[in-house]
Amino acid sequence: MPPLLRSLRLLGDESRLRMLRLLSREELSVAELQEILGMGQSRISMALSQLRQSELVELRKVGQKSLYRFTGDETVLEILRQSAREIPESATDDDALRLILTKRKDKMRAYFDELAGRFGRHYVPGRSWKGLAEMLLKLLPPMVIADLGAGEGTLSLLLAQRAERVIAVDNSEKMVAYGREAARKAGVANIEYRVGDLEELPLADASVDLALFSQSLHHALHPPDAIREAARILKPGGRVAILDLRRHGLEEARELYADLWLGFTEVELLGFLKQARFRDAELSVVHREEAAPHFETILAIGQK
C-alpha cells in the first residue's frame, strides 16, 4: 500500500487522530498519553507502533525515558487541524496536555529544590509554615472573603486579621455555633457565620472579592454547582481559590471523613472552572504527604 494511502487509513481512527494532534504539539511518553487520553497502555502502544511504521511519529530516547513526536508532513497537519473541530474530546485533550506540561515544570523545580540547600531543609530555627502564612496574610489587600465550607472557622479567623470582612458558610449548625463562639472569645468582629449549603449560598450576587473552598469541595453533592455558586457571589474580577485533594483511591475516606468524592483530577477541576466561566485558571499540586496513603493537595485558582 502506498505511504499516503496507509497514512490516510490510519487517520480514519479517532483515537489515533487524538494522539497525533497531541504529538504534533509536544513530545510525550506513553504514560503521559495514557493520562491525557484515558486509554490503556497496550492500546496506546499498538497505535504508536502503527504510526511509527507509517513514519507519522518517531521515538526519541532521553536517558531511560522514551518520547514520541510527530513527523508527518503539512498535509497530515492540516487534517489534524480540521479534525479538532469534529472531535468532541479535543478541548479536554488540550487542557490535559497543558496540565501535563505544568507537571513537568513542577517536577523539574522539585528536583532542583531537593538539590539546593540540603542543610537545614527540614528544620531552620524560627521558620514555620504558620509564620509564613501569617506574613502572607498580612500582605493581602483588604477584601470581602467568603470561606465556603468553613467548618470550625480556623481559616476564617486567620483571614479576618487582614480582610475587610469574612463570611464563613457551613451547613452544620454546630460548626457555625462553634465558630461564632471562637470569634467572640478572640474578639474578632469582622467575621459573620452563616448556615448554608455550598450549592445554595446565603450570599447576594456580586458581593465578595474572594471565594475559598479549603478542603470542602469534595463534600459537595454536585461540585460544578458549588463552583457556579461561587461565580455568582463574586464581584467582576473576583477570584475563586480551591484547595482540595487530588483524586485518590482510599474508599475508607467516605466513612472516615464523610467524603462524597475521593478528590478530583486537575482536568476535572479545570472543567468545573470553565463551566462556571472562570478565566485565567491556574492549577498545581502544592503538597504531597509522605505517609500513606500519600494524599496530594491541588490548588486551583480562577478569575471571574
Side-chain angles (χ1 to χ4, degrees):
M1 183 181 294
L4 178 60
L5 293 179
R6 186 165 60 246
S7 297
L8 290 174
R9 182 179 179 184
L10 287 172
L11 294 176
D13 179 81
E14 187 174 296
S15 62
R16 287 194 288 264
L17 272 176
R18 291 172 65 193
M19 206 174 297
L20 276 177
R21 278 193 69 251
L22 294 165
L23 295 174
S24 70
R25 297 174 56 188
E26 187 66 42
E27 290 183 314
L28 296 167
S29 67
V30 171
E32 289 171 332
L33 285 168
Q34 276 185 269
E35 186 169 346
I36 295 171
L37 299 171
M39 299 177 188
Q41 180 180 345
S42 59
R43 182 179 176 186
I44 288 175
S45 296
M46 180 178 294
L48 288 171
S49 176
Q50 294 169 331
L51 293 170
R52 283 184 69 193
Q53 290 174 11
S54 295
E55 299 182 353
L56 292 175
V57 301
E58 67 179 13
L59 176 65
R60 186 171 75 92
K61 289 280 189 179
V62 183
Q64 296 182 338
K65 197 171 186 179
S66 297
L67 295 174
Y68 290 86
R69 61 183 174 188
F70 175 78
T71 54
D73 57 21
E74 188 60 36
T75 301
V76 179
L77 274 176
E78 182 57 31
I79 293 173
L80 296 178
R81 281 191 285 267
Q82 293 182 22
S83 72
R85 295 190 289 270
E86 300 179 18
I87 298 176
E89 296 87 354
S90 292
T92 303
D93 289 348
D94 293 342
D95 290 340
L97 175 60
R98 281 190 286 272
L99 291 171
I100 285 290
L101 298 181
T102 299
K103 284 183 183 179
R104 283 188 187 175
K105 292 176 184 177
D106 289 344
K107 185 175 181 181
M108 185 179 297
R109 183 168 59 247
Y111 171 75
F112 286 109
D113 284 349
E114 187 64 30
L115 290 179
R118 288 182 184 273
F119 177 75
R121 180 84 187 279
H122 298 290
Y123 172 70
V124 173
R127 186 173 73 181
S128 69
W129 285 114
K130 185 180 186 300
L132 289 171
E134 295 272 3
M135 177 187 70
L136 294 173
L137 284 169
K138 290 288 192 295
L139 295 174
L140 283 175
M143 294 184 291
V144 178
I145 301 173
D147 186 4
L148 306 176
E152 296 177 346
T154 304
L155 179 58
S156 296
L157 282 171
L158 284 172
L159 294 169
Q161 296 178 43
R162 183 66 179 172
E164 176 185 331
R165 185 161 60 106
V166 176
I167 304 169
V169 180
D170 201 273
N171 65 356
S172 166
E173 293 187 4
K174 288 187 176 181
M175 285 287 192
V176 167
Y178 182 95
R180 283 176 179 154
E181 181 61 15
R184 187 192 66 78
K185 287 180 178 179
V188 179
N190 61 334
I191 295 183
E192 181 183 349
Y193 289 87
R194 300 183 186 178
V195 176
D197 190 271
L198 292 179
E199 297 169 41
E200 294 182 71
L201 294 171
L203 288 92
D205 295 354
S207 59
V208 304
D209 301 296
L210 177 63
L212 296 177
F213 294 92
S214 179
Q215 299 298 348
S216 58
L217 191 62
H218 59 259
H219 294 295
L221 191 60
H222 304 103
D225 292 343
I227 301 298
R228 276 192 285 270
E229 271 291 88
R232 179 185 65 77
I233 67 171
L234 280 168
K235 300 173 184 177
R239 291 186 297 172
V240 63
I242 305 164
L243 270 175
D244 216 296
L245 295 177
R246 191 180 186 193
R247 176 73 63 79
H248 61 86
L250 186 69
E251 284 290 336
E252 295 93 325
R254 300 186 192 276
E255 295 296 327
L256 290 172
Y257 313 116
D259 291 356
L260 294 179
W261 303 90
L262 300 181
F264 307 97
T265 67
E266 291 98 319
V267 174
E268 284 174 327
L269 287 176
L270 187 60
F272 297 162
L273 292 173
K274 282 194 166 187
Q275 290 170 29
R277 300 186 180 279
F278 282 103
R279 55 188 174 85
D280 300 330
E282 298 178 34
L283 292 93
S284 57
V285 175
V286 294
H287 183 65
R288 295 176 174 86
E289 294 186 5
E290 294 183 3
H294 307 292
F295 286 129
E296 296 179 299
T297 301
I298 299 176
L299 171 63
I301 298 174
Q303 187 168 13
K304 182 175 177 180

